[in-house]
Amino acid sequence: MIAYLLRLVVKAVVTLFAIVTVTFVATRLSGNPIDTFLGEGLTTEGREALIAYFQLDGSLWHQYLAYLRGALSGEFGLSFVDRRPVTTVVIERLWPSGQLLLASVALTIAVSLPLGVLAAVYRRSWIGSAVMVVAFTGYAVPSFVLAIVMVLTFSYWLNWLPVVGNGTWQHFIMPTIAMSGVLIAALTRFTRNAMLDVLGQDFIRTARAKGLRETRVVLKHGLGNAGVTVISVIGLQIAGLAAAGSVVVESIFSWPGVGQMLVNAAIVRDYPVLQFGVIAVAVAVVAINTLTDIAYALADPRIRLARA
């Protein structure tokens, strides 16, 4: 087990190093940021002074080595726009994004697990069919389409919910639903399939033959064993939600989180903010995947013994 944990750590470090490298190179390919956020009124001397100040005058290789040295010491540079440390700029946005992510995950688990169990238990009735129709429909609708439809319906036409900001609990409703919509549909399908696999096993028939209540058979023996598969799916889906879902939804609802910050930084070519923001999201995604692998290994003794 210790060797398996060490492999996970090494894999996480290599993944983060690759992400840092690709992000650094990709941002430099977009052009010089000085010309973007200062416009055409800058003199040649002032332009050269700013390029030297932000250490953009060296070769790509030297800039990369300087960035790595700074990153290893905790220095990720200053924002080109705010002139503040990028760590401060990004950390200010982490909590709003974390709130939205936690709300979306809670809604996803609260809705998808019961729906998946119902779809498996009543698979031959209209209940199971209705759940799967809703799941497939939700899976086919992208988050940005759902967000736009909700904005038009509940804000523009009905004037029930606010669109911009995160000041009250009403601000959470539409972004949370938009972020969790596809995830609810996917997890419902995975839960149903996992439950169907478990409910067809011999130990389930044995439990029923012993006279156990159907509720106990389904929830304790069925969902308890299907949870091993569901855990891995939840981890992967949450990682994808943190990486991509927040960028789209936060931009539509002007949510003051990391996703909206990354979009704004990309538009004005604020390299330091964009790089550190991507690193922060990558660390969260890699950490979620690593913890999911550990939880999956601990939950299934067969995996734990095979990887010991």
Side-chain angles (χ1 to χ4, degrees):
M1 190 64 183
I2 295 178
Y4 174 64
L5 293 177
L6 290 177
R7 287 198 298 271
L8 287 179
V9 172
V10 171
K11 184 174 69 174
V13 172
V14 172
T15 301
L16 289 175
F17 178 77
I19 291 174
V20 169
T21 303
V22 171
T23 304
F24 183 89
V25 174
T27 53
R28 263 58 181 181
L29 294 177
S30 63
N32 194 318
I34 302 299
D35 299 328
T36 300
F37 65 81
L38 289 179
E40 300 178 353
L42 188 65
T43 64
T44 303
E45 294 78 8
R47 181 178 181 275
E48 293 178 352
L50 283 174
I51 290 176
Y53 176 77
F54 288 112
Q55 299 180 355
L56 299 173
D57 51 346
S59 64
L60 182 63
W61 174 249
H62 287 91
Q63 292 182 47
Y64 178 65
L65 291 180
Y67 183 75
L68 285 182
R69 286 194 297 267
L72 292 175
S73 62
E75 295 291 336
F76 292 90
L78 298 175
S79 168
F80 292 161
V81 178
D82 294 343
R83 306 292 197 278
R84 293 188 298 158
V86 296
T87 50
T88 303
V89 176
V90 174
I91 288 175
E92 290 175 350
R93 302 294 191 106
L94 286 178
W95 178 234
S97 290
Q99 287 178 307
L100 186 57
L101 181 62
L102 290 175
S104 301
V105 172
L107 179 63
T108 297
I109 295 175
V111 174
S112 60
L113 291 185
L115 288 181
V117 172
L118 284 176
V121 174
Y122 299 101
R123 59 188 178 278
R124 294 187 178 91
S125 71
W126 66 269
I127 297 177
S129 300
V131 170
M132 294 312 297
V133 168
V134 173
F136 279 112
T137 303
Y139 198 74
V141 179
S143 59
F144 70 90
V145 173
L146 180 59
I148 293 173
V149 170
M150 286 193 296
V151 168
L152 290 176
T153 304
F154 298 109
S155 294
Y156 183 73
W157 292 326
L158 299 177
N159 197 27
W160 286 355
L161 297 172
V163 180
V164 179
N166 64 336
T168 64
W169 64 269
Q170 289 96 333
H171 288 88
F172 279 83
I173 296 177
M174 289 195 294
T176 300
I177 296 175
M179 281 190 67
S180 58
V182 175
L183 186 56
I184 289 174
L187 191 57
T188 298
R189 292 174 54 223
F190 280 114
T191 303
R192 175 185 179 272
N193 294 337
M195 286 291 296
L196 288 177
D197 290 338
V198 173
L199 292 178
Q201 299 297 320
D202 291 337
F203 69 90
I204 294 294
R205 287 190 286 269
T206 301
R208 286 170 173 160
K210 290 180 178 180
L212 296 179
R213 290 183 302 174
E214 185 66 15
T215 303
R216 184 177 181 184
V217 172
V218 171
L219 296 181
K220 182 178 179 180
H221 299 282
L223 186 59
N225 286 275
V228 176
T229 304
V230 174
I231 286 175
S232 63
V233 174
I234 291 176
L236 294 175
Q237 295 295 327
I238 292 175
L241 193 67
S246 62
V247 175
V248 176
V249 173
E250 288 182 10
S251 299
I252 293 175
F253 293 99
S254 295
W255 191 268
V258 176
Q260 185 194 43
M261 180 203 67
L262 290 177
V263 173
N264 295 335
I267 292 174
V268 300
R269 297 177 184 170
D270 196 348
Y271 293 166
V273 172
L274 182 59
Q275 289 167 179
F276 186 69
V278 171
I279 291 173
V281 174
V283 168
V285 172
V286 170
I288 291 172
N289 285 335
T290 303
L291 292 175
T292 301
D293 289 339
I294 295 173
Y296 192 65
L298 293 176
D300 193 334
R302 296 169 299 177
I303 300 175
R304 186 165 63 249
L305 291 174
R307 294 175 175 177

